[in-house]
Amino acid sequence: MSRIKNHLVADAKLDSEKIIELKNRNEQFLINNGRRKTYHILTYGCQMNEHDSEKISGMLTSIGYVETDDEKNADLVIFNTCLIRENAELRVFGKLGEVKGLKKNKPDMIVAVCGCMMQKQEIRDKVLEKFSFVDIIFGTNTIHELPVLIYNVEIKKEKSVDIVDNTDLIYEDMPKLRKFKYKALVNITYGCDNFCTYCVVPYVRGREKSREPEDIIQEIKILAEDGCKEVTLLGQNVNSYGKNLNVEFTFAQLLYEINKIEGIERIRFMTSHPKDLTDDLIKAIQECDKVCKHLHLPVQSGSNDVLRRMNRKYTKEHYLTLVEKLKKAVPDIAITTDIIVGFPGETEEDFLETLDVVKKVEYDSAFTFLYSIREGTVAAKMDDQVPDEVKHDRFNRLLEVLYPIILEKNQKCIGKVFPVLVETAEGDELTGRTEHFKLVHFKGSKDLVGEIVNVKITDVKTFHMKGSIVIA
Ligand code: 5AD
Ligand code: SF4
């Protein structure tokens, strides 16, 4: 297509002189040591980070590294970090402490830290100061620079820090080493413009930018040719896909296009922001036979006052209307959500509104979070923070309402047959997901991994179901 591209598509420069020198060194390492250099990535956080780790793996493979499953055996350890809540941050610092001991015994081991935490100056400074053994720091916008950073450490013996705060560039040519052959994560947007007041993502991942539709479609066609059956389209708010493209192209249109791709059998996407869930999109979910009957639609809170102060730009009533429309369009759709309890100023009445939404929607599953103060966000400065014991009490009460609803929804599946994409096998214990995103365990041959098989549900728990394969 000869359209003017909205963004600059940049080149990851994997054939530069430095990289060729590094590749040659790695080949020489193989000859001298009888093995390739190894890397291990510790990935924290969301699917966006998981997919970034697949890009990091792709880059490292292309310069001659192989993956190892433990940091103890690795020549290069990479922390791909998350900043969304405090506990994610604390886990990274804890693990960095452990790796410090490892590095003492293996001084040649390279340690790199990347991801969302590194996009914040204060945290970067803390890592540089407290964990001075770290050799490389890069951010969410500089993954493509990793080989050059390794070159700087290995050949120039320099510590390497490379951070870009915000950029219009999208690197289309980065190699990816995907974890699974039959299912794949595919970026459709990067960054976020929504500035929910509790959330650090817009500050660390920058402004929202959409990939060109033809780049996305081309990537998925290649995946399909390679045996991929399920794609998950990734964006902080996939519903606003296309907003900043030079031509009119909506997320709904993108779904129709992907639905046409031969070989792809399931299309998933996350995350959907309720404020941008249009009737056209609901129609696309209804009409595209490959789009899974599952929507992850974060509500965050059921209180209009809290939603307003979260800057979510919808009301409880609007959210419930969307759910009604969805259930009418796709009667057996599974709806899952994210809920935060203890947002600053949340009263008991506000919390009861959240419980009311949970009861009305009857979620199939939910991620529930205690509000966590994130420096630099608007909510962090709100002065009516909820005490920890109140947050925990509400959190427990939320689960007491939520879990029986989830279990009851699962119980309705007993006796029914669902197509399940087999994801993993341990001996003859297979695990997969229904199109409603429900996890199912059943017995079968490991050769079925990557296949879609019919499974009759025989027993259910809150977070998984059990069943047996039925032959048609
Ligand atoms: N505290 C608690 N939960 C948060 N989330 C985002 N920021 C915070 C925070 N500061 C949750 C939201 C979002 C999910 C990815 O993480 O529910 O949808
Ligand atoms: Fe964070 Fe809101 Fe953007 Fe989601 S939509 S990444 S919660 S700011």
Side-chain angles (χ1 to χ4, degrees):
M1 272 185 243
S2 60
R3 279 213 318 262
I4 301 170
K5 295 213 172 194
N6 133 81
H7 54 257
L8 294 169
V9 177
D11 178 2
K13 297 193 199 77
L14 276 170
D15 51 0
S16 76
E17 260 172 49
K18 282 183 185 173
I19 306 308
I20 290 167
E21 188 181 341
L22 193 61
K23 280 183 191 170
N24 290 341
R25 265 176 78 103
N26 285 346
E27 290 308 312
Q28 196 54 50
F29 181 94
L30 170 65
I31 293 164
N32 295 348
N33 298 277
R35 68 166 183 94
R36 289 204 172 274
K37 281 201 174 170
T38 54
Y39 71 90
H40 181 68
I41 310 179
L42 296 143
T43 306
Y44 298 81
C46 63
Q47 286 177 315
M48 198 65 81
N49 265 17
E50 269 176 41
H51 191 39
D52 282 349
S53 289
E54 292 181 334
K55 293 178 187 170
I56 293 170
S57 291
M59 304 286 281
L60 293 173
T61 306
S62 72
I63 58 168
Y65 277 80
V66 290
E67 188 168 15
T68 171
D69 56 5
D70 194 317
E71 69 267 12
K72 294 189 186 75
N73 312 322
D75 297 301
L76 167 64
V77 179
I78 299 183
F79 287 77
N80 189 2
T81 64
C82 170
L83 190 60
I84 196 99
R85 283 169 295 275
E86 191 187 15
N87 54 6
E89 203 181 316
L90 296 177
R91 278 174 59 216
V92 170
F93 284 125
K95 191 75 188 173
L96 268 170
E98 276 179 38
V99 168
K100 185 179 181 173
L102 200 60
K103 173 110 178 179
K104 264 200 190 128
N105 298 328
K106 275 176 73 180
D108 288 341
M109 181 176 83
I110 298 178
V111 180
V113 187
C114 68
C116 292
M117 275 169 71
M118 293 304 96
Q119 291 293 132
K120 279 213 104 177
Q121 168 102 47
E122 309 86 90
I123 303 185
R124 229 158 43 224
D125 291 346
K126 181 171 167 184
V127 169
L128 286 169
E129 190 190 319
K130 285 201 160 172
F131 302 94
S132 55
F133 62 91
V134 169
D135 305 286
I136 294 174
I137 286 183
F138 60 106
T140 53
N141 297 320
T142 41
I143 294 172
H144 58 281
E145 294 287 359
L146 179 59
V148 175
L149 302 177
I150 295 174
Y151 175 95
N152 290 346
V153 173
E154 278 209 359
I155 295 167
K156 291 167 59 189
K157 306 288 173 211
E158 280 175 5
K159 200 184 256 291
S160 279
V161 177
D162 193 341
I163 300 290
V164 170
D165 278 341
N166 199 358
T167 174
D168 281 339
L169 295 180
I170 292 181
Y171 289 84
E172 283 295 348
D173 65 343
M174 249 188 278
K176 297 162 193 125
L177 187 68
R178 287 189 150 96
K179 225 170 155 184
F180 303 96
K181 188 174 157 63
Y182 50 87
K183 64 169 190 175
L185 303 169
V186 176
N187 290 120
I188 65 164
T189 66
Y190 298 97
C192 182
D193 286 349
N194 294 305
F195 288 95
C196 301
T197 55
Y198 50 81
C199 185
V200 77
V201 169
Y203 302 95
V204 295
R205 289 241 171 210
R207 296 292 59 73
E208 182 179 298
K209 32 188 195 285
S210 298
R211 282 179 75 196
E212 297 292 331
E214 62 266 39
D215 290 336
I216 298 168
I217 290 160
Q218 182 60 15
E219 179 174 353
I220 298 175
K221 278 186 177 160
I222 293 170
L223 283 166
E225 280 165 18
D226 214 28
C228 176
K229 293 191 174 135
E230 177 182 297
V231 286
T232 300
L233 311 175
L234 293 182
Q236 306 299 342
N237 174 12
V238 289
N239 296 357
S240 66
Y241 171 80
K243 199 175 69 183
N244 46 11
L245 288 173
N246 284 332
V247 285
E248 173 92 6
F249 205 95
T250 64
F251 181 53
Q253 280 170 280
L254 186 67
L255 288 182
Y256 283 105
E257 289 304 314
I258 298 171
N259 200 56
K260 291 182 201 156
I261 299 176
E262 210 178 307
I264 295 299
E265 294 186 39
R266 288 180 168 188
I267 304 167
R268 301 187 183 280
F269 50 85
M270 70 186 310
T271 297
S272 277
H273 195 308
K275 80 177 167 62
D276 297 310
L277 181 61
T278 60
D279 288 348
D280 280 352
L281 179 53
I282 295 178
K283 199 158 162 244
I285 298 171
Q286 182 187 28
E287 290 182 349
C288 296
D289 57 330
K290 297 176 182 177
V291 171
C292 289
K293 293 178 180 174
H294 165 228
L295 189 68
H296 186 67
L297 194 64
V299 66
Q300 313 297 2
S301 167
S303 151
N304 285 339
D305 185 48
V306 172
L307 286 171
R308 185 180 49 76
R309 288 182 303 107
M310 285 178 164
N311 193 31
R312 288 290 289 177
K313 300 196 174 85
Y314 56 83
T315 60
K316 173 188 179 189
E317 293 71 28
H318 179 67
Y319 184 92
L320 291 174
T321 308
L322 289 174
V323 169
E324 240 174 71
K325 280 188 191 173
L326 280 161
K327 287 185 176 174
K328 204 166 158 215
V330 187
D332 60 338
I333 193 165
I335 299 177
T336 57
T337 200
D338 292 347
I339 300 171
I340 299 176
V341 295
F343 183 79
E346 182 191 71
T347 62
E348 176 65 16
E349 289 68 38
D350 291 325
F351 173 65
L352 293 177
E353 295 282 353
T354 301
L355 292 187
D356 188 47
V357 170
V358 169
K359 288 178 198 156
K360 288 200 165 109
V361 176
E362 298 184 317
Y363 289 110
D364 288 82
S365 189
F367 294 114
T368 49
F369 306 110
L370 293 164
Y371 167 72
S372 168
I373 297 177
R374 301 287 69 202
E375 276 324 310
T377 61
V378 172
K381 291 180 217 86
M382 293 180 179
D383 48 24
D384 41 1
Q385 299 289 332
V386 175
D388 270 357
E389 55 290 2
V390 177
K391 274 192 213 171
H392 280 99
D393 174 60
R394 288 182 190 159
F395 189 82
N396 293 336
R397 283 159 62 208
L398 170 63
L399 299 190
E400 277 168 24
V401 172
L402 185 64
Y403 285 177
I405 292 175
I406 299 175
L407 184 62
E408 203 178 311
K409 293 217 92 176
N410 287 351
Q411 277 162 345
K412 289 189 180 146
C413 298
I414 294 180
K416 293 188 183 155
V417 175
F418 295 96
V420 172
L421 173 59
V422 187
E423 302 196 352
T424 54
E426 261 178 54
D428 64 348
E429 294 287 339
L430 305 184
T431 299
R433 285 192 190 266
T434 68
E435 71 166 311
H436 302 96
F437 207 60
K438 294 191 190 277
L439 201 64
V440 191
H441 301 300
F442 52 101
K443 287 209 186 302
S445 154
K446 68 175 183 347
D447 299 342
L448 292 173
V449 170
E451 299 295 321
I452 296 179
V453 295
N454 286 326
V455 177
K456 186 172 185 172
I457 304 305
T458 51
D459 185 19
V460 297
K461 296 276 184 291
T462 311
F463 297 110
H464 70 264
M465 315 203 286
K466 284 188 179 163
S468 47
I469 295 182
V470 286
I471 312 292

